[in-house]
Amino acid sequence: MSHPLTVQPGAVPARFRNAGIALFLLILAAGAAYVISHLVSDLESVAASSVFPFVLLGIALVIALGFEFVNGFHDTANAVATVIYTHSLSPHLAVVWSGLWNFAGVLTSSGAVAFGILQLLPVELILQVGSHSGFAMVFALLIAAIIWNLATWYLGLPSSSSHTLIGSIIGVGLMNQLLRGANGTSGVDWSQALGVGKSLLLSPIIGFLLAALLLLLLKALVRVPALYAEPEGNQPPPFWIHALLILTCTGVSFAHGSNDGQKGMGLVMLILIGTVPTVYALNRAVTPAETQTFLAVSHQASAAFGRYANGVAPSANPRADVQTYVQSRTLTPATLPAVQALADTIAAQVSQTGSMATVPQNEVDNVRNNMYLVSETIRLLKKNGQPAISKSDQAVIDNYKQQLDHATKFIPTWVKVAVAIALGLGTMVGWKRIVVTVGEKIGKQHLTYGQGASAELVAMATIGAADAYGLPVSTTHVLSSGVAGTMAANGSGLQWNTVRSLLLAWVLTLPASIVLAGALYWVFKAIF
């Protein structure tokens, strides 16, 4: 088998390749300037007695963006493997092109995946993200994920950054529970972890089966021998095949940015809320008019909660009752009265100023935590189906939750740009090891045009669907299993040594990242 990475196919003239690289670097430079200017502008309003919070913020942001950088050259390499090994694009142009579409995917993402992953964390760590435990949590899970990603990249194994990050989050939650004992901690949200685990478990199986079926369907319907042939020497494919493969590479890169980039966004927001809550705990983009809408919806939701309180008066500490429910998932007679009382408290706190943006600095963190607890309670009440709530009241409560999430689960544009830059730069660095594994070491024969297109079409559709439903999936698992599926369907044979290594990495990633993150959390908590 020839090694495509040692040649530069002549499909794209050098002047266009250089122009593409220059354009990409120009976009990155403009993005970096945008990020720095907005961050500095936001921090100007922060009154700090020392520079320590800013130093801690800088270190944490560097580590968080470092995770996305590693994610870029670790995971995005999968998206470019097929276009490189079919000579559709030269290696350097392929990674620049993929980087651009990763950038676009991050910028247009919704944020649903970001906050879905954060729901795995213990509620008390979310509420106290600015405490020593919160900082230990963020540093532990980020550094653990980076270490495991670098180790598997060095070995050329396409392991999953999503898998690694989720394992790290579980490790922190478990260690937090061990350190604090059975009382006062919720540990890991296993119901949420199960949902995330299903998406990670099923995605490679879906990738393998659907890519194999798609290739067989193409062979039955599209009888063009050139589509199922190996590339001849270093010659690029026919134009229409060329265009198809570039299109699928573009789609996978965009979907990867839209899904994987959100994980970094969620972590960056945790860091910002923990270090400078006065700026980032509440969405300052909520207008006074939207604030008035929020207050009106709050009163409607309070009345709806009251209809299911069964005449029970709230306790003296309704927030503690709500937090207990979120931690235990056990509905008690005190829960609904406490939710109603906390909703009224939030409305009173916000109405004092008339705008989210002008909530006093000393109250911002408290208001945000109250909102977070009520939002989580609504989610769990609906998920558990208790108590039975009428459709009209549920619609009011759902609307209230949307209002709460709009005020707390937001991602500033500069954060998206920063993550997009890190992911885009990572795409251009260190991609070769993973590309060689995907392109040369999964199947016994050279990747054909049809195999590359089938694997990437399935990956693009699977990741896009998961993004729409707010589920994290692994680009690595979907695409590498898709390539394996096409090799099996084509009768090309599989290199079982590589397949075993991929399976081993897949099996070991979760326990390894759990242990590593848990140990780091224990160390960092002692340090902080």
Side-chain angles (χ1 to χ4, degrees):
M1 184 185 299
S2 63
H3 197 310
L5 301 186
T6 61
V7 296
Q8 295 292 333
V12 180
R15 65 180 182 275
F16 292 124
R17 183 168 63 249
N18 294 336
I21 294 173
L23 174 62
F24 186 55
L25 294 176
L26 181 62
I27 291 173
L28 291 181
Y34 175 86
V35 169
I36 293 171
S37 64
H38 278 73
L39 178 59
V40 170
S41 175
D42 287 348
L43 295 181
E44 284 178 350
S45 62
V46 178
S49 57
S50 71
V51 298
F52 180 73
F54 300 111
V55 172
L56 200 60
L57 172 62
I59 295 172
L61 285 179
V62 167
I63 295 175
L65 295 177
F67 167 77
E68 283 301 328
F69 177 82
V70 173
N71 186 2
F73 71 69
H74 194 286
D75 281 21
T76 313
N78 294 277
V80 298
T82 54
V83 290
I84 291 174
Y85 273 86
T86 55
H87 306 305
S88 299
L89 289 176
S90 67
H92 292 96
L93 183 56
V95 295
V96 170
W97 181 254
S98 180
L100 281 170
W101 286 100
N102 265 278
F103 192 102
V106 173
L107 292 182
T108 57
S109 59
S110 65
V113 174
F115 295 107
I117 286 182
L118 294 183
Q119 286 172 346
L120 290 170
L121 289 166
V123 62
E124 63 276 357
L125 288 182
I126 294 290
L127 297 178
Q128 301 171 16
V129 69
S131 67
H132 65 282
S133 295
F135 289 124
M137 167 192 70
V138 171
F139 282 105
L141 64 89
L142 280 172
I143 293 175
I146 290 173
I147 290 173
W148 183 253
N149 278 345
L150 287 175
T152 51
W153 163 80
Y154 182 77
L155 296 173
L157 296 176
S159 71
S160 165
S161 294
S162 303
H163 210 163
T164 305
L165 181 60
I166 289 165
S168 299
I169 290 174
I170 292 174
V172 167
L174 287 174
M175 181 57 68
N176 181 66
Q177 192 167 19
L178 287 173
L179 291 175
R180 297 185 58 166
N183 298 322
T185 179
S186 57
V188 176
D189 183 347
W190 290 111
S191 62
Q192 182 73 7
L194 182 62
V196 170
K198 285 179 181 178
S199 69
L200 289 174
L201 175 65
L202 293 177
S203 56
I205 299 173
I206 291 171
F208 183 94
L209 295 176
L210 290 187
L213 289 173
L214 181 56
L215 181 64
L216 293 174
L217 186 64
L218 279 175
K219 283 188 170 185
L221 299 178
V222 183
R223 300 182 180 274
V224 179
L227 184 60
Y228 314 108
E230 296 181 9
E232 296 182 6
N234 296 326
Q235 294 301 311
F239 175 78
W240 69 275
I241 298 176
H242 189 181
L244 173 64
L245 289 168
I246 292 176
L247 177 64
T248 57
C249 170
T250 302
V252 172
S253 300
F254 181 86
H256 174 261
S258 179
N259 193 280
D260 275 46
Q262 293 193 52
K263 295 144 195 171
M265 292 181 208
L267 294 171
V268 169
M269 288 310 298
L270 265 186
I271 292 165
L272 292 172
I273 292 168
T275 51
V276 279
T278 55
V279 180
Y280 297 108
L282 292 178
N283 187 357
R284 298 195 300 174
V286 176
T287 65
E290 289 174 328
T291 302
Q292 293 306 310
T293 300
F294 170 81
L295 293 173
V297 173
S298 296
H299 296 313
Q300 294 171 3
S302 174
F305 287 129
R307 283 190 279 274
Y308 302 90
N310 298 321
V312 178
S315 69
N317 191 352
R319 175 165 160 170
D321 292 333
V322 173
Q323 184 169 336
T324 298
Y325 173 74
V326 173
Q327 290 175 323
S328 66
R329 275 70 167 168
T330 302
L331 186 68
T332 68
T335 302
L336 271 300
V339 177
Q340 181 186 20
L342 199 55
D344 290 337
T345 298
I346 294 168
Q349 290 171 323
V350 174
S351 65
Q352 289 177 358
T353 60
S355 173
M356 296 279 186
T358 55
V359 172
Q361 291 192 4
N362 61 337
E363 293 185 18
V364 165
D365 209 20
N366 183 47
V367 174
R368 179 241 173 209
N369 285 344
N370 286 342
M371 288 181 171
Y372 174 82
L373 284 171
V374 173
S375 176
E376 279 297 283
T377 299
I378 294 172
R379 180 180 71 86
L380 293 171
L381 288 171
K382 187 175 183 178
K383 182 178 180 179
N384 297 332
Q386 294 181 331
I389 298 175
S390 69
K391 288 185 178 180
S392 58
D393 284 336
Q394 189 63 57
V396 170
I397 293 171
D398 287 344
N399 186 21
Y400 181 46
K401 185 180 187 304
Q402 291 178 1
Q403 297 284 334
L404 291 169
D405 291 346
H406 180 53
T408 56
K409 296 180 180 180
F410 66 99
I411 300 175
T413 303
W414 75 260
V415 172
K416 292 186 176 184
V417 173
V419 170
I421 290 172
L423 201 59
L425 281 175
T427 303
M428 299 177 66
V429 179
W431 47 271
K432 190 171 181 178
R433 289 178 183 270
I434 305 298
V435 166
V436 169
T437 297
V438 174
E440 293 186 6
K441 296 181 180 179
I442 293 179
K444 292 182 178 179
Q445 297 179 13
H446 198 293
L447 195 71
T448 67
Y449 305 129
Q451 288 174 315
S454 298
E456 289 209 319
L457 279 171
V458 168
M460 178 175 66
T462 303
I463 299 167
D467 192 35
Y469 286 99
L471 294 172
V473 294
S474 166
T475 303
T476 302
H477 288 164
V478 175
L479 191 55
S480 58
S481 63
V483 170
T486 62
M487 291 290 176
N490 198 49
S492 303
L494 294 171
Q495 296 190 44
W496 287 106
N497 286 337
T498 302
V499 173
R500 279 193 293 270
S501 297
L502 293 175
L503 288 173
L504 185 63
W506 183 66
V507 170
L508 288 179
T509 290
L510 201 60
S513 53
I514 287 173
V515 171
L516 187 57
L520 286 173
Y521 177 70
W522 178 76
V523 171
F524 289 145
K525 190 169 182 182
I527 293 173
F528 281 109

